[in-house]
């Protein structure tokens, strides 16, 4: 089967790669593009480890066909830092011990960044809702919620 060229923007940079028939965005990003930050968790859209943004909205990349991102802007956790400077969310996750094993962290960070970009001052309930599609087996969620709220309240180092 022939592969399809896909032109898109990844973390602000124009990219092109070939997608196989029926290839999902997660596999495409990892295998064809080389962005390993979205993680394979469940492969059926229930864990959030593969969360990315498409045109600013969060999506589970395991459920998105790679061909469908033609001309669109994709954001992953790899795009959060500015060179050697971490995003305030990444700093807050470290400060609040919000990453233990780290497997869910890229998806959590993408979900949290999308929330804060859309709503810079979310309530605790809004934070909980925003990360509700991201499963974490290690932290108990409280450190993650605290880290996101710290950034929203300007208490995190920038």
């Amino acid at each position: 089967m022939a592969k399809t060229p896909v032109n898109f923007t990844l973390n602000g940079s124009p990219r092109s790669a070939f997608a196989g028939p029926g290839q999902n965005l997660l596999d495409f990003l990892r295998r064809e593009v080389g962005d390993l930050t979205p993680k394979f968790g469940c492969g059926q859209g229930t864990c959030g480890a593969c969360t990315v943004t498409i045109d600013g909205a969060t999506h589970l990349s395991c459920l998105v066909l790679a061909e469908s991102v033609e001309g669109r802007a994709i954001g992953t956790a790899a795009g959060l830092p500015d060179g050697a400077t971490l995003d305030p969310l990444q700093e807050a996750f470290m400060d609040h011990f919000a990453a233990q094993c780290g497997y869910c962290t890229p998806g959590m960070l993408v979900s949290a960044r999308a929330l804060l970009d859309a709503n810079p001052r979310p309530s605790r309930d809004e934070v909980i809702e925003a990360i509700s599609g991201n499963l974490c087996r290690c932290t108990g969620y409280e450190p993650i919620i605290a880290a996101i709220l710290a950034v929203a309240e300007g208490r995190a180092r920038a």
Side-chain angles (χ1 to χ4, degrees):
M1 305 285 290
K3 290 192 170 192
T4 303
V6 181
N7 301 295
F8 59 102
T9 302
L10 178 64
N11 299 321
S13 298
R15 298 295 297 265
S16 295
F18 288 94
Q23 186 175 26
N24 69 31
L25 182 58
L26 173 62
D27 187 62
F28 176 75
L29 289 172
R30 293 180 62 81
R31 291 179 190 248
E32 314 305 334
V33 180
D35 187 335
L36 302 178
T37 56
K39 304 295 184 219
F40 178 87
C42 66
Q44 54 189 353
T46 59
C47 75
C50 67
T51 302
V52 300
T53 59
I54 302 175
D55 296 333
T58 57
H59 291 272
L60 301 168
S61 62
C62 70
L63 299 179
V64 175
L65 285 176
E67 295 174 23
S68 72
V69 301
E70 173 70 32
R72 300 179 81 184
I74 310 303
T76 69
L80 291 176
D82 182 11
T85 304
L86 294 178
D87 184 272
L89 271 170
Q90 293 170 303
E91 295 281 355
F93 267 56
M94 289 189 313
D95 291 346
H96 289 85
F97 303 101
Q100 290 183 19
C101 85
Y103 204 79
C104 74
T105 304
M108 283 287 185
L109 287 167
V110 168
S111 293
R113 174 50 53 212
L115 167 67
L116 294 174
D117 287 349
N119 178 4
R121 297 274 189 215
S123 68
R124 178 181 172 80
D125 287 343
E126 290 168 324
V127 169
I128 291 168
E129 177 66 26
I131 64 170
S132 66
N134 299 79
L135 300 180
C136 177
R137 295 176 186 251
C138 301
T139 66
Y141 296 96
E142 285 304 320
I144 295 168
I145 294 165
I148 297 167
L149 288 172
V151 173
E153 295 165 4
R155 293 185 286 120
R157 52 185 164 145

